[in-house]
């Protein structure tokens, strides 16, 4: 690596590390480049140890660092004389999957990474390693939801369609001629409501479901609330463009995360405050919960029936529904099941894709 190409290559390497899940901010990158001012940037060992000491903050960063270093700089004692090609995404994906062989090794073939992605899409989120969860976050961020549509109340002028008598009369008054005019009803996006259970039993899935809610909130009209021992509206927090900042703001707003579950009481609070007033009317409501209810199940059944009368469709996403042998016998899901349109799984990325398709067709 020549002196002219060194800054670009080193900053690009830091960028690849961030993609791989290593939280190396500007301060750490400055420390990295300052350390290299006293070392030989052409020697792989000098660059490796300077980066390992300054860019890594915890033990979990080390395998990602080794994989990203091998993918970015390759093996050998001397670094390449020319600037390495931009291969941030490939290096970061391999590092995130833990597929690298460490410093001095060879990056695994891309076909291995592709098969790993397919496996990750079907894997239960609760069983994922920290590196797989980091990769899942990027895959969730790449989802492209399409909002469901409903017929608009008002018709718009069109070249074909039904005769518009008001426009015909106005034209006759203005021109004294019978000039035909037509109108046609269009469609508008239908509102979506996401109610995410953040109680202790849903902890393995809560982060992925809130990131899923963030992606949906960025693509269509949506209301997002969390359910636990109380109801918390997090729609405004999830509007932030950056998913990390959005989830951090939502975490600060939710005081009952990892606690108990009172689905009946929180669902009643949602319907009283927002649902009855318009948020749930004609909407597609998606309730993400495992159905473990510690409150009154009769109240939950009553509120589920009330929600079904207001909403266009009610979908219940239960992460356990995707497991073999699952039966909806938990007290909460058993009480609400007669009032649901669909019971769906939500334990993997593929099932979240299926949920988006179900919402689009609603």
């Amino acid at each position: 690596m020549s002196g002219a190409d060194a800054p670009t290559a080193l900053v690009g390497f830091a960028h690849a590390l961030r993609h791989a899940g290593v939280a190396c901010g500007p301060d750490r990158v400055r420390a990295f480049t300052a350390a290299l001012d006293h070392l030989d940037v052409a020697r792989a060992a000098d660059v490796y140890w300077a980066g390992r000491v300054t860019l890594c903050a915890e033990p979990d960063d080390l395998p990602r660092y080794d994989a990203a270093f091998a993918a970015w700089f390759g093996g050998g004692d001397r670094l390449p004389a020319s600037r390495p090609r931009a291969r941030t995404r490939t290096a970061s994906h391999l590092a995130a999957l833990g597929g690298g062989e460490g410093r001095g090794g060879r990056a695994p073939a891309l076909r291995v990474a592709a098969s790993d992605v397919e496996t990750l899409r079907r894997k239960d989120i609760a069983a994922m390693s920290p590196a797989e969860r980091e990769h899942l976050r990027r895959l969730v961020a790449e989802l492209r939801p399409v909002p469901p549509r409903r017929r608009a109340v008002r018709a718009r002028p069109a070249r074909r369609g039904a005769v518009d008598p008001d426009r015909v009369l106005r034209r006759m008054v203005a021109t004294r001629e019978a000039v035909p005019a037509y109108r046609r009803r269009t469609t508008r996006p239908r509102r979506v409501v996401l109610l995410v259970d953040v109680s202790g039993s849903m902890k393995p899935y809560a982060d992925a479901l809130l990131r899923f809610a963030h992606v949906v909130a960025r693509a269509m009209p949506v209301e997002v609330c969390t359910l636990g021992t109380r109801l918390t509206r997090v729609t405004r927090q999830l509007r932030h463009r950056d998913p990390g900042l959005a989830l951090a703001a939502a975490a600060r707003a939710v005081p009952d995360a990892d606690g108990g579950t009172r689905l009946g009481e929180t669902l009643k609070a949602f319907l009283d405050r927002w649902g009855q007033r318009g948020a749930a009317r004609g909407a597609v409501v998606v309730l993400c919960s495992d159905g473990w209810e510690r409150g009154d199940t009769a109240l939950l059944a009553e509120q589920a029936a009330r929600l079904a009368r207001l909403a266009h469709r009610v979908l219940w996403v239960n992460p356990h529904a995707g497991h073999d042998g699952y039966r909806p016998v938990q007290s909460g899901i058993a009480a609400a099941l007669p009032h649901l349109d669909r019971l769906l799984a939500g334990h993997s990325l593929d099932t979240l894709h299926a949920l988006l398709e179900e919402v689009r067709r609603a």
Side-chain angles (χ1 to χ4, degrees):
M1 184 167 54
S2 68
D5 292 328
T8 303
L10 296 176
V11 172
F13 173 56
H15 187 61
L17 273 180
R18 283 194 289 272
H19 273 274
V22 178
C24 50
D27 292 342
R28 290 188 174 276
V29 175
R30 279 194 292 271
F32 176 44
T33 55
L36 289 176
D37 287 342
H38 306 281
L39 301 170
D40 182 0
V41 295
R43 289 190 70 243
D46 288 2
V47 176
Y48 172 82
W49 285 108
R52 179 165 169 149
V53 170
T54 56
L55 298 175
C56 299
E58 53 189 31
D60 288 345
D61 291 343
L62 299 181
R64 300 172 193 170
Y65 176 84
D66 286 346
F69 190 93
W72 184 261
F73 292 111
D77 296 331
R78 307 290 292 182
L79 295 181
S82 60
R83 180 168 61 88
R85 291 181 295 134
R87 44 189 175 182
T88 304
R89 187 174 295 276
T90 302
S92 61
H93 283 192
L94 295 175
L97 288 169
E101 296 179 357
R103 174 179 172 250
R106 294 291 182 185
L110 285 178
R111 62 178 180 275
V112 177
S115 64
D116 284 344
V117 171
E118 290 303 316
T119 302
L120 191 67
R121 293 174 65 89
R122 296 189 293 271
K123 189 170 183 177
D124 192 323
I125 295 170
M128 289 184 180
S129 67
E132 289 172 332
R133 284 178 179 273
E134 184 61 34
H135 194 193
L136 176 73
R137 290 169 184 168
R138 287 194 294 273
L139 295 178
V140 170
E142 293 174 359
L143 294 176
R144 294 295 178 264
V146 178
R149 310 288 296 185
R150 64 172 176 82
R151 290 191 69 188
V153 176
R154 295 181 179 177
R156 292 181 177 274
R159 294 184 177 180
R160 299 181 184 85
V163 175
D164 188 340
D166 293 339
R167 290 177 60 212
V168 171
L169 285 175
R170 286 197 295 270
R171 288 182 177 183
M172 289 180 66
V173 170
T175 64
R176 297 183 182 279
E177 294 180 2
V179 181
Y182 302 97
R183 64 184 180 184
R184 175 177 290 179
R185 284 194 174 183
T186 57
T187 61
R188 296 176 60 84
R190 186 182 292 280
R191 183 185 298 276
V192 175
V193 176
L194 294 174
L195 304 175
V196 182
D197 184 347
V198 293
S199 63
S201 60
M202 285 288 290
K203 185 176 181 180
Y205 302 96
D207 180 79
L209 290 174
L210 286 174
R211 288 180 182 275
F212 174 80
H214 173 259
V215 171
V216 174
R218 297 280 305 163
M220 62 181 75
V222 67
E223 285 288 342
V224 185
C225 295
T226 62
L227 310 179
T229 55
R230 57 178 292 181
L231 177 78
T232 306
R233 183 171 179 261
V234 293
T235 305
R236 180 176 57 81
Q237 287 82 356
L238 294 183
R239 294 286 185 201
H240 199 287
R241 185 184 186 90
D242 184 271
L245 296 177
L247 262 71
R252 289 193 295 271
V254 179
D256 57 341
D258 306 337
T261 314
R262 296 187 180 279
L263 292 175
E265 294 176 20
T266 51
L267 190 55
K268 182 177 186 303
F270 166 73
L271 291 172
D272 290 344
R273 295 180 195 173
W274 295 293
Q276 194 81 36
R277 297 179 180 178
R281 289 185 183 276
V284 178
V285 180
V286 181
L287 204 162
C288 306
S289 173
D290 55 5
W292 290 104
E293 169 66 309
R294 293 190 177 183
D296 184 0
T297 55
L299 176 62
L300 175 58
E302 177 187 335
Q303 298 306 314
R306 186 181 167 196
L307 178 63
R309 290 193 294 272
L310 285 173
H312 175 66
R313 296 199 75 191
V314 180
L315 311 176
W316 188 301
V317 176
N318 188 333
H320 302 309
H323 299 160
D324 294 337
Y326 169 78
R327 296 177 59 194
V329 296
Q330 297 86 4
S331 57
I333 189 66
L337 193 59
H339 310 290
L340 306 180
D341 291 295
R342 288 291 305 273
L343 175 62
L344 304 168
H347 65 292
S348 67
L349 185 61
D350 270 356
T351 56
L352 293 181
H353 264 292
L355 171 60
L356 284 182
E357 184 61 20
E358 191 74 28
V359 170
R360 186 189 67 80
R361 295 200 306 259

